[in-house]
Structures are given as structure tokens and as C-alpha cells.
Amino acid sequence: MTALGVWQLQRAQWKNGLIAQLDANRGKPAIAWPGLAAAKDESLLYRRATGFCLEPTAWRAIAGRNLQDQPGWSHIASCRTGGAEGPGMEVDVGWSKAGKAPAWKGGSVEGVIVPDREHRIRLVASNAPAGLPPSQAGLPSDLPNNHFFYALQWFFFALAAGVIYVLALRKRQQSAVALPPSVADGKPEGGR
């Protein structure tokens, strides 16, 4: 359990470094939408980017917030960006109180690259091309970083286990002292 606590402290240091890197990405110059994103390429996250959606091929709505922090729906278009296959692009085209897909037909988009659970990354449009208010892109500091508290929890468990072990040993020792010598040696009383 102590080793798990130390591991969580190491994870906390790693997460702090990641959040600092992602914060630094926010200040970097805008890039073109990447054709293929590496599975764990943190250098893209929270960068400003531009892209072109030839046409939306599918829509999904997820719980989201607008820039005034109101809850509602963020509308995400799966866009065709090149040939019939191609990697495509996920674009959060804006926010609304209703989950119905907007009537956006595609076009130029600029915004911020954020993590996406289904497609690794997506572009949250800052210009909200569908005529909707922009969705919140979020901040790197919004990423959960509970590792320090998990470490404290593991250290507490280790301490509790140690205390229980000491109490069990003490009780065992007291039980051995309380027994008559013949019972403690395993001999029945009466010498037989």
C-alpha cells in the first residue's frame, strides 16, 4: 500500500507536468488541422487550429456548456475533409439548449483542439459557424488531478493495516500469557 502511495505521488508530478505543457500549448501559434493524430500526442491539445469541413457526415450531441457557463448541448459534426476515406475531423460547431443537430453544411472552421473520448481530438469552433453560441473548450486546469489525495489515502490504509497488525500481535501475546503453562505447551491438564 505504501508503494501505491508513492506511485500516486509520481503520477501527481507527471499530471502537473502535463497540465503545464497543455497550458503552454495555448500560447503557441495556430496550426492546420492535423491529418492524422498520434494516439498520445499532447503537443496538439489546446492548440489553436484551423480546418475545412467539406461536409458533415454525422452528428452527435454531448452535454456541454457555453461561454457563459450555461448547461446545454454541444453539437459535434463528423466532417469529411478530403477523399472519400480520409481521417476526417470532429468539429464542435456550437452550443444550444436543444439536442437537435444544426443545419450547418460545412466550411472553414477555427478554434481549439481538445480531447475527445470517441475520436481522440476534436476542434471546438471559436467562430461557431452554425450560427450558434460557441461551446466552452475547457482549460487544461480542468483535467482531474486527484493523485495527491489518492496517495494520502494509500498511506492511510498502510498505517491502518500496520496498527491492526500490531494490535493483533499484542492480543495474541496477551492470550498466550493468560493460558496455564500446560495448555500453552499443548499438554492436557492433569499430566496426560
Side-chain angles (χ1 to χ4, degrees):
M1 287 183 261
T2 302
L4 288 170
V6 170
W7 177 69
Q8 286 293 344
L9 289 176
Q10 293 167 344
R11 296 269 303 161
Q13 285 180 328
W14 167 80
K15 184 66 73 79
N16 289 335
L18 174 64
I19 290 171
Q21 177 190 352
L22 298 178
D23 261 336
N25 287 352
R26 295 177 65 219
K28 293 180 180 176
I31 59 171
W33 179 260
L36 291 173
K40 295 280 186 180
D41 189 358
E42 283 89 12
S43 68
L44 297 174
L45 295 177
Y46 299 98
R47 291 277 307 258
R48 289 177 291 127
T50 59
F52 193 85
C53 176
L54 292 175
E55 69 174 321
T57 58
W59 287 93
R60 64 185 164 113
I62 62 170
R65 294 186 171 274
N66 64 12
L67 298 178
Q68 286 73 38
D69 204 31
Q70 297 172 317
W73 297 97
S74 291
H75 300 280
I76 302 171
S78 294
C79 291
R80 190 168 59 83
T81 56
E85 308 84 45
M89 174 172 66
E90 297 292 306
V91 180
D92 182 335
V93 298
W95 173 92
S96 74
K97 289 193 178 218
K100 184 180 175 196
W104 184 60
K105 301 294 183 206
S108 181
V109 184
E110 59 185 58
V112 177
I113 298 172
V114 298
D116 185 271
R117 290 183 185 202
E118 289 186 28
H119 300 277
R120 289 186 288 199
I121 59 174
R122 74 173 174 265
L123 186 64
V124 177
S126 56
N127 57 348
L132 300 170
S135 296
Q136 265 187 19
L139 297 170
S141 58
D142 295 338
L143 293 172
N145 189 5
N146 301 329
H147 300 290
F148 180 73
F149 296 107
Y150 291 148
L152 291 178
Q153 183 178 7
W154 282 115
F155 292 141
F156 173 76
F157 290 157
L159 178 65
V163 168
I164 291 169
Y165 182 70
V166 167
L167 291 174
L169 287 178
R170 185 176 291 169
K171 185 174 181 178
R172 181 187 228 182
Q173 186 179 25
Q174 288 172 350
S175 295
V177 169
L179 293 175
S182 59
V183 174
D185 293 338
K187 297 178 184 173
E189 285 188 48
R192 293 184 187 192

